[in-house]
Amino acid sequence: MTPLVLVAEDAFTAPGPSIFDFPPLYEGAPYWLTKPVIFAVVGALLVSALAWSAFANPKLVPRGMQNIGEMGYQFVRDQVARPFLGKDAERWMPLLLSLFFLILLWNFFGVIPLIQIPIASHIAFPIVFAATIYILKIYLGIKHQGFGGYFKNMMFPPGLPKAIYVLLAPIEFLSNLIIAPFTHAVRLFANMFAGHLILAFFSAVGFWFLFEKLTPLGSGLGVVGVVMTIAMTGFEMFIQFLQAFLFTLLAAMYIGGSLHADH
Amino acid sequence: MISAANTLAAEANSPLMPHVYELVVGSFAFLVVFLVVGKILTPRIQKTLAERTEVIEGGIKKAEDAQAEAQRTLEQYRAQLAEARQEAARLREEAREQGAQIKAELRDEAQAEARRIIETAHAQIEADRQQALTQLRGEIGRLSTELASRIVGESLEDEARQRRVVDRFLEELEARPEAVR
């Protein structure tokens, strides 16, 4: 099969990282006016509009959009905020809910026809969220535990043999202040990036072998590509939801850890 | 030159290198969402959810109160019913006693009346007997005299003697009880 692909002069080429590069929208447009930028803004406005239709004038007996919005609210409150923030959950819901809704919609853009770009597959966007949470985490930690207390609680958790601290303190420092924000952003980015690449690959296979170069031998492969595209789209939607949830959950965990040392 | 430019471009397009303009746009987007969803809308839905909880809890409390009230009323009603039954039983007993008393009184009265009537009748009968006796005595005297004078054929001239004879005769008559009774 591979030779078949490679021998032809206009051979099938699997989509690579270049599919994430977008030129300016039109000739002569400013260099920053690209598809992801447009849809990042559209996504933000859409989230605001949807949330507005759900929560602008909430009723005691919910109807329509409010039901959906409340499902989202209660999901974030019960699954994310309360387990990690306890009685402070309500206070941090504005941040967590905004995070969750925006990331979720931006992720869903990856499978919405015609848009088909998960915004978080451009690492700048996850970095914005992760950096916000990172700054907030350090600020809250110092505010609630004191400057010395924050670093002491982080690097020298009590109740361990003295010698362990030689090893533990640098690891904790590195993991909390360097690695955690990095993985926080990269986890979301990489999932969206890889997912989009997989979808692009299977749909390219389907398109190439069923439309561009329809051959008796290749058509089977094309069908496999189409079927896999559909299956992976479903799987991708699950991942998109999961990553939005996970990112928000980690944010709540970091905030909770800064508010209370013994977490 | 060209290869250097390509390398630069490739580096700029590395998926791990953020574009500055996307950082700016991302921050702006997040800020907008945070202000609208977080700062404006989340407090509203939180308030509504809290109110709903309150209303539901209030409803539950109200229902509990109503139930307690109903229970109280039921107990009151039952107590009243029991009291009424007791009262009724008491009244029935009283009535029965009274009835019995009245019956006894009536019987006594009737017996007294009967006795009275019997006594009166006895007295009447005695009086009648006496009267009859007296009348009879006169009649018998006259008849006897008449009879005697007829038999003897002579008129007893002396009234006094005649009366004595009659009286003697009657006393003899009375001495025999079966003659009058």
Side-chain angles (χ1 to χ4, degrees):
Chain A
M1 243 178 279
T2 317
L4 186 86
V5 174
L6 290 180
V7 220
E9 47 181 9
D10 45 356
F12 171 75
T13 45
S18 64
I19 64 165
F20 294 95
D21 296 334
F22 291 90
L25 275 184
Y26 51 91
E27 200 70 38
Y31 71 97
W32 49 265
L33 195 62
T34 60
K35 189 180 173 184
V37 165
I38 290 293
F39 281 110
V41 174
V42 167
L45 296 180
L46 193 58
V47 163
S48 302
L50 288 174
W52 190 273
S53 72
F55 297 146
N57 193 11
K59 303 278 188 298
L60 276 186
V61 181
R63 294 250 184 282
M65 272 304 286
Q66 194 185 337
N67 270 320
I68 300 169
E70 281 186 15
M71 258 166 65
Y73 178 89
Q74 280 166 358
F75 173 75
V76 174
R77 185 192 63 189
D78 297 342
Q79 305 300 323
V80 177
R82 284 189 175 164
F84 291 101
L85 295 164
K87 61 178 169 39
D88 297 320
E90 299 287 321
R91 194 169 125 55
W92 292 99
M93 274 307 288
L95 178 68
L96 297 174
L97 197 66
S98 308
L99 258 184
F100 179 72
F101 278 174
L102 183 58
I103 295 174
L104 188 66
L105 192 79
W106 274 2
N107 286 357
F108 278 159
F109 276 179
V111 294
I112 292 176
L114 301 181
I115 303 177
Q116 282 162 318
I117 168 77
I119 307 299
S121 66
H122 277 218
I123 197 168
F125 299 104
I127 283 178
V128 169
F129 299 133
T132 308
I133 298 301
Y134 181 63
I135 293 165
L136 191 65
K137 170 175 96 166
I138 294 176
Y139 166 75
L140 288 171
I142 292 172
K143 187 182 163 199
H144 285 271
Q145 305 173 31
F147 186 83
Y150 177 55
F151 287 97
K152 187 172 160 295
N153 287 333
M154 181 201 300
M155 294 158 68
F156 301 95
L160 291 173
K162 288 270 186 291
I164 296 288
Y165 290 119
V166 179
L167 205 63
L168 190 70
I171 290 175
E172 284 291 325
F173 181 86
L174 207 67
S175 117
N176 275 297
L177 293 179
I178 314 280
I179 296 174
F182 181 75
T183 56
H184 197 195
V186 166
R187 184 180 294 106
L188 176 59
F189 154 75
N191 273 282
M192 292 306 106
F193 186 89
H196 188 57
L197 210 55
I198 288 169
L199 285 185
F201 173 75
F202 283 118
S203 48
V205 167
F207 190 73
W208 180 265
F209 288 100
L210 288 182
F211 291 94
E212 303 252 319
K213 289 275 186 264
L214 183 59
T215 59
L217 216 61
S219 61
L221 201 60
V223 170
V224 169
V226 170
V227 169
M228 280 305 286
T229 305
I230 295 169
M232 290 313 286
T233 300
F235 180 65
E236 200 51 36
M237 285 168 80
F238 168 67
I239 296 292
Q240 285 160 353
F241 165 77
L242 192 71
Q243 288 304 320
F245 168 60
L246 204 59
F247 193 96
T248 316
L249 186 136
L250 284 170
M253 202 177 90
Y254 294 151
I255 292 170
S258 289
L259 292 178
H260 311 288
D262 305 319
H263 215 289
Chain B
M1 276 299 273
I2 293 165
S3 81
N6 279 347
T7 318
L8 256 179
E11 267 172 17
N13 286 335
S14 158
L16 278 174
M17 287 306 292
H19 298 293
V20 174
Y21 61 87
E22 283 182 347
L23 288 175
V24 174
V25 171
S27 306
F28 167 75
F30 186 35
L31 191 69
V32 167
V33 170
F34 180 65
L35 288 180
V36 175
V37 177
K39 283 290 160 192
I40 299 174
L41 295 173
T42 305
R44 291 192 192 177
I45 191 64
Q46 282 176 329
K47 189 162 158 282
T48 301
L49 289 177
E51 274 170 10
R52 184 181 303 159
T53 307
E54 234 165 68
V55 166
I56 290 171
E57 275 172 356
I60 290 170
K61 176 89 170 58
K62 214 182 282 173
E64 276 171 355
D65 286 353
Q67 205 160 20
E69 174 71 29
Q71 191 65 35
R72 249 199 319 280
T73 312
L74 183 65
E75 267 160 24
Q76 223 167 23
Y77 165 75
R78 276 186 182 144
Q80 275 175 355
L81 196 65
E83 205 176 306
R85 278 199 182 124
Q86 225 169 359
E87 179 74 15
R90 199 179 60 73
L91 283 176
R92 243 189 340 262
E93 192 59 33
E94 220 172 71
R96 194 181 296 129
E97 274 171 21
Q98 265 178 7
Q101 202 180 344
I102 287 168
K103 219 153 62 182
E105 272 172 13
L106 278 177
R107 194 188 295 121
D108 286 355
E109 246 170 59
Q111 278 171 351
E113 180 71 14
R115 241 185 336 265
R116 202 178 53 74
I117 288 169
I118 290 167
E119 274 166 16
T120 314
H122 280 165
Q124 186 69 41
I125 288 166
E126 185 65 20
D128 284 357
R129 197 178 67 89
Q130 285 298 333
Q131 197 186 353
L133 202 61
T134 311
Q135 210 174 353
L136 202 61
R137 183 174 288 179
E139 197 79 351
I140 287 170
R142 200 179 51 80
L143 284 175
S144 305
T145 311
E146 196 183 323
L147 184 66
S149 59
R150 282 226 193 128
I151 294 169
V152 177
E154 70 176 54
S155 169
L156 294 172
E157 71 262 55
D158 196 349
E159 173 86 16
R161 208 163 70 192
Q162 194 180 347
R163 180 158 298 278
R164 270 199 312 274
V165 172
V166 171
D167 282 345
R168 207 164 38 241
F169 171 70
L170 283 176
E171 270 159 19
E172 279 170 18
L173 216 60
E174 274 185 346
R176 295 188 305 222
E178 65 274 16
V180 262
R181 297 218 180 239

